Structure formats: C-alpha cells, structure tokens
Amino acid sequence: MSARERLADGLYGAGWSTVKKLPEPAAVRLGRTVADLAWKRRGTGVRRLEGNYARVLPDAGPERLAALSRAGMRSYLRYWMESFRLPAWSTERIRSGFVPEGLRHLTDGMDAGKGVVLALPHLANWDLAGAWVTTELGIPFTTVAERLKPETLYDRFVAYREGLGMEVLPHSGGTAFGTLARRLRDGGLVCLVADRDLSASGVEVDFFGETARMPAGPALLALQTGARLLPATLWYDESPVMKGRVHPPVEVPGSGTRAEKTSVMTQALADAFATGIADHPEDWHMLQRLWLKDLDPAKAPAAADGQGAP
C-alpha cells in the first residue's frame, strides 16, 4: 500500500469513527468549513466541477459559476458528513431524513413482481435514499460499488453500505451483471448510480447539448429481465430533509435491435437526469470528467481524472 493510499484509508476511517460521534450542528459546521477551504484552494476537483456546471448553465458567467461551485462543494461535504453519520442514525432519523415524490412508480413496480431497476445520478445523498428504502419501505436491494484503492478502503465502503441494508457487488470481475439479473428475475430491486461510465463500452448520449457516455447496464438489465426501469433524482433544500423524485418508467421501444433499444432507453435516463440536475445543479457531485470532449481518448473514461474515490 502506497503512502497516499494509507493516507486516504486513514482519513476515511477517521471520518467514520469521529464525525459520526459529533452533534449534528457541529458536523454541519465542520462540513461547511472543509467545503469552503477546499473551494478556496481551487484544486483539480473544484475546477472540474465548475467546468461541468458550465455545461449545465452555458450562459453563466465566471461569478455565477464560482458561486455555484462553492455551493456545490458545500453540498458535496454535506453528503460526506451525512454518510459518515448514517450508521449512527436512529431508524426514526433515517425515516424522517428523506421525502420522495412519485414513490408509486417504485411500489407499483415492486408489486408487479418483475423487479425494478432504479437508476440515479450523483445528486445529493444516494446512500441516504438507499437507507430510507431499506428502513422505511422495508425493501432490500442490490447495488454495485467501484473497486477503490487501497482494498481496505473499498472494504470500508462495502461494510458501510451493507450496514445500511444493501447488498453490494464489486463493479469489476464480470459477475455483477448476472447476479443483478437474477435478483431482478426474483422480483427484487437493483439501484445503480448511472451518470458516469466506468468502462469503455458505455452508450453515447446527448447530455446538455454535448456527447457523453453513460453505462448501458440499467437499460440492458431491464431489457433482459423485463424489470421496470425508473430514473430517480435527489436534491437538498435549506432543511435537514433531503428531497427526491422517482420519475415515470422508461418505456421499452417497440422495435429495433437490442443495441438500438439500449441506446434509446439510456438516452431517456440521461434526459431525466438532466432535468433533475438543471433544477438543482449545486447538488450534482460530478468532480470528474464526463463529456467526451474532456476525456483523453487514450484512457478509459473512469480513469481520466485519476479519481476513483470522491
């Protein structure tokens, strides 16, 4: 393990062991302080965040983008402060921490018994939304996690999410898709963060007027298993309660090859994601390269920034 990997593992370990013990107001203040310090340094992640926001708001000037990136870093650190503290939250705190719209799309899909694929972008706190699903709705689900370095850090993330009631599969290794398909055929729920391709074989989509690549997995799973495909978006407001929306199901095209249907359905996901991001851009935590124009074609998309972990 390199010195950098040891440092990363130690920092995340300290976050989970220390921040979760803080009173909530103190954790909120700490997150805002760290966010403002990181924003003032204007490191690679902050500059990339601003560049991504410029795609979302092409008419925004430098002052607007700077203000937005500051708000974005505060939102990002709110995610981390909440995530560090989630294992210590009571059942009631989790249940009261999230209010979604359009929940019937999810519950109706589960009642149909054919499984549901819930796909969402890096908006607000997807871990809190997942904990709410397992706690308030009592619905277990399966998800996929990117393998991080060092392995001890990846193990921390897996243990953390499993502690919230999720089944976590590694993204690499080639077996995740088959396991996800089996869960869906059994009528289960699969939740996937799906706005950033972690392979070189994603689907090209139009995203805020430019070409980006998003994972084909959600659409392929729905096509192969007959599961309902649902986009979801999340956001914060000034309250301690996160908000969210489950969008209507993505329709399966009536004709075309599997590749053509996958492309159309993935574009529909991208369109739903864009709606949520445009409404709440400061809550989109995309500190990596996403659009093809920004990617080095000699590298895989997931490695373009060298940022496997947030």
Side-chain angles (χ1 to χ4, degrees):
M1 186 187 303
S2 69
R4 182 178 179 179
E5 290 173 344
R6 286 196 299 272
L7 176 61
D9 185 54
L11 288 173
Y12 281 103
W16 269 304
S17 64
T18 304
V19 173
K20 70 180 179 181
K21 299 175 184 177
L22 293 174
E24 190 156 339
V28 171
R29 288 194 300 270
L30 176 60
R32 181 161 290 200
T33 298
V34 173
D36 287 349
L37 288 172
W39 177 78
K40 289 176 182 177
R41 287 183 59 198
R42 293 195 58 79
T44 302
V46 173
R47 296 195 305 273
R48 174 51 50 197
L49 185 66
E50 240 172 66
N52 290 338
Y53 287 159
R55 283 338 203 295
V56 177
L57 299 171
D59 297 328
E63 290 186 3
R64 170 69 173 126
L65 290 174
L68 191 59
S69 67
R70 185 178 191 181
M73 290 304 294
R74 287 182 172 184
S75 175
Y76 186 46
L77 264 295
R78 176 174 172 176
Y79 161 78
W80 279 110
M81 292 299 107
E82 286 179 348
S83 295
F84 287 146
R85 292 171 53 76
L86 262 176
W89 279 15
S90 66
T91 298
E92 181 54 37
R93 179 68 180 87
I94 293 173
R95 286 175 170 169
S96 64
F98 178 47
V99 176
E101 304 169 0
L103 192 60
R104 64 179 179 82
H105 297 305
L106 173 59
T107 54
D108 288 352
M110 295 303 297
D111 290 343
K114 293 185 178 181
V116 171
V117 180
L118 195 65
L120 61 161
H122 287 81
L123 274 169
N125 192 338
W126 47 96
D127 285 331
L128 172 56
W132 186 89
V133 167
T134 60
T135 302
E136 175 66 14
L137 301 183
I139 300 176
F141 66 87
T142 305
T143 188
V144 173
E146 179 182 358
R147 277 204 174 275
L148 305 174
K149 291 185 178 181
E151 283 291 322
T152 51
L153 180 57
Y154 171 77
D155 292 341
R156 287 184 190 275
F157 273 93
V158 170
Y160 156 66
R161 290 184 169 124
E162 287 180 341
L164 298 175
M166 312 174 193
E167 179 188 22
V168 183
L169 307 176
H171 180 271
S172 59
T175 61
F177 188 91
T179 302
L180 295 173
R182 287 194 294 274
R183 299 292 182 269
L184 292 169
R185 290 193 182 99
D186 290 338
L189 174 63
V190 166
C191 298
L192 300 170
V193 180
D195 58 343
R196 177 168 170 254
D197 182 37
L198 295 179
S199 71
S201 57
V203 176
E204 290 189 3
V205 295
D206 180 272
F207 197 52
F208 292 102
E210 292 190 34
T211 304
R213 189 180 288 119
M214 293 188 180
L220 282 172
L221 284 166
L223 284 170
Q224 184 163 313
T225 67
R228 179 177 294 197
L229 177 57
L230 298 175
T233 52
L234 311 170
W235 66 92
Y236 290 129
D237 55 22
E238 296 304 316
S239 76
V241 180
M242 185 178 70
K243 307 303 191 298
R245 180 187 177 199
V246 181
H247 296 250
V250 172
E251 295 186 4
V252 178
S255 61
T257 65
R258 189 169 80 156
E260 290 168 342
K261 291 179 179 180
T262 298
S263 179
V264 171
M265 294 171 72
T266 304
Q267 181 64 61
L269 284 181
D271 292 343
F273 294 167
T275 299
I277 292 166
D279 287 342
H280 305 278
E282 68 279 2
D283 292 323
W284 189 38
H285 308 151
M286 185 55 65
L287 280 72
Q288 295 85 15
R289 301 174 191 266
L290 181 70
W291 281 272
L292 296 192
K293 285 184 179 179
D294 295 334
L295 294 170
D296 181 346
K299 299 178 182 178
D305 278 306
Q307 295 183 34

